[in-house]
Amino acid sequence: KNEVEQSPQNLTAQEGEFITINCSYSVGISALHWLQQHPGGGIVSLFMLSSGKKKHGRLIATINIQEKHSSLHITASHPRDSAVYICAVTGNQFYFGTGTSLTVIP
Amino acid sequence: NAGVMQNPRHLVRRRGQEARLRCSPMKGHSHVYWYRQLPEEGLKFMVYLQKENIIDESGMPKERFSAEFPKEGPSILRIQQVVRGDSAAYFCLAGENTGELFFGEGSRLTVL
């Protein structure tokens, strides 16, 4: 079993839709990260969370420490949001989810 | 994620050659992790280093792969006698106890 599980693995949405990607983890953590990777591109850190909620533009990330669960929301999705979104946690080491591949269709 | 420099960004090698990938974290970052991303797959842990020490190399193949992070200079991931299956993106990650993550842009190795 992976320490970090993401769902869904693949997601296709129409432009403008509200999108949610989920992440569950099984280890003790000091922080949770949401990362974005465009095809063939580098990895960009979107959020680092240890509690509560953070918002940046159309992106919102929440974490529930008790339930060991985090969600990444994208409001008013746009084709340029198409990317792989990766959940990672900082525990004894860094653990990564396998990613959610998002495609937003115009 | 400015501050973690990886080079080369792209590297082409023929089977049997050596590949050297470099990672220069920001000054003050003494923890370096190397991850490999095979095509269409997620990030897989390879090795965790601190200055002059290998902390955890459990994800690194025993044969042909080695890593170092000297007191001075970049961290180096070295792959000897490359094979086609080594073709992947290799990411360097620098982190500190604050939990912040800093990624390099990755080095994409293609083995012909």
Side-chain angles (χ1 to χ4, degrees), chain B:
Chain B
N1 289 295
V4 179
M5 306 300 294
Q6 284 190 250
N7 67 82
R9 293 289 308 279
H10 299 275
L11 182 63
V12 179
R13 285 287 178 265
R14 295 193 180 279
R15 278 182 299 171
Q17 291 184 319
E18 179 180 285
R20 280 188 184 227
L21 309 177
R22 292 174 206 81
C23 168
S24 300
M26 285 192 283
K27 189 177 178 182
H29 279 178
S30 58
H31 302 241
V32 163
Y33 301 76
W34 284 94
Y35 284 79
R36 177 164 66 175
Q37 187 177 41
L38 293 167
E40 309 298 324
E41 292 189 17
L43 291 157
K44 302 290 185 192
F45 169 76
M46 295 184 75
V47 61
Y48 165 33
L49 307 116
Q50 292 181 16
K51 287 280 187 181
E52 300 185 277
N53 283 308
I54 297 174
I55 307 302
D56 182 352
E57 56 182 349
S58 59
M60 198 160 66
K62 297 285 188 287
E63 306 290 326
R64 304 189 296 107
F65 285 73
S66 63
E68 62 176 12
F69 190 17
K71 189 176 178 182
E72 302 290 337
S75 175
I76 307 266
L77 179 67
R78 182 180 177 208
I79 311 171
Q80 295 178 287
Q81 298 175 319
V82 295
V83 300
R84 288 218 174 101
D86 297 332
S87 295
Y90 292 85
F91 287 94
C92 172
L93 169 65
E96 286 299 326
N97 293 335
T98 58
E100 272 199 279
L101 280 176
F102 298 92
F103 275 92
E105 295 279 327
S107 291
R108 280 157 180 81
L109 172 65
T110 301
V111 180
L112 301 176

